[in-house]
Amino acid sequence: AVQLDEQCPPVAERLRRQYRAVLVDETQDVNPLQYRLLDGIKAENTMMVGDPRQSIYGFRSADPALFEGRCTQGTTLPLSRNHRSQAGVLRFIDAVGRELFADYKPMAPAALVRHDPEDPFTTDGVLGFNGVEIWKGGGSELATAAEGISKLVAEGASPKEIGVLVRTTFEAQSIANHLDQAGVPA
C-alpha cells in the first residue's frame, strides 16, 4: 500500500480525496512503515490516540518514540480519566503508577491516604482499593489466584466481572486450567 501510494500518483490523489479525516487508535504501536502510509494519505484532520507506556508491538517494529514525537507537533489532550473502572481499582492503579513512573498522571480524583506504610491496602476506609484483591500464595501463586477467583464466584461474583493481570500467556493459560479444574468458566 505504501509503495502504491508513493509510486502511483493517481492512487495517491484518490486517497487524498477519499479520506478527509483519519483516527488512529493505539498509535503507540504504529511502526515506521505504517506512519509512511498515514503521511501519504495527507488527511486534513488526523487524530492519534495512544499511550507510549502501553506499547507491546516492538517485535514488529512499533516505535512509541514516533508517537511521542507526533505529540509535540500538534494539539495534545491528555486523557487522564478512566470512566470504565470503579474508583477503588483506579486508586490502586494510581498508587502503583506513582511508584513506577515519575511523570505518572493519576486517573482517580482522590489521593490515597495510608495508615500503614507496609500495607498499601490499609487506608482510611473511604479511599481504599475496593474491587482489587491480592492473593499471596505459597507454592503456586497461579493456583492461589485461581482459588481466590473460585471463592469470589462461590460468593456470588460473576466470572465476567473478574480480571486477572499476568505477565505471560503461559500464566494466563495456567490460571485458566486451574479454574477449569474448579468448574469456574474462564
Side-chain angles (χ1 to χ4, degrees), residues 32-47:
L33 187 62
Q34 293 166 324
Y35 271 113
R36 280 176 53 197
L37 182 59
L38 289 168
D39 291 342
I41 293 173
K42 296 184 180 163
E44 293 174 35
N45 299 291
T46 301
M47 179 177 174

Side-chain angles (χ1 to χ4, degrees), residues 7 10 13 15 26-27 30 36 47 57 84 86 112 115-116 128 131 134-136 139 146 182 184:
Q7 297 173 6
E13 182 55 36
L15 282 173
E26 304 295 348
T27 312
V30 172
R36 280 176 53 197
M47 179 177 174
Y57 287 102
R84 295 179 290 187
Q86 49 184 292
L112 176 68
H115 284 266
D116 181 357
I134 301 283
W135 299 299
K136 296 180 181 178
V184 177

Side-chain angles (χ1 to χ4, degrees), residues 114-138:
R114 295 183 186 172
H115 284 266
D116 181 357
E118 298 297 318
D119 182 3
F121 291 89
T122 304
T123 66
D124 65 5
V126 177
L127 300 176
F129 297 141
N130 295 343
V132 175
E133 294 199 26
I134 301 283
W135 299 299
K136 296 180 181 178

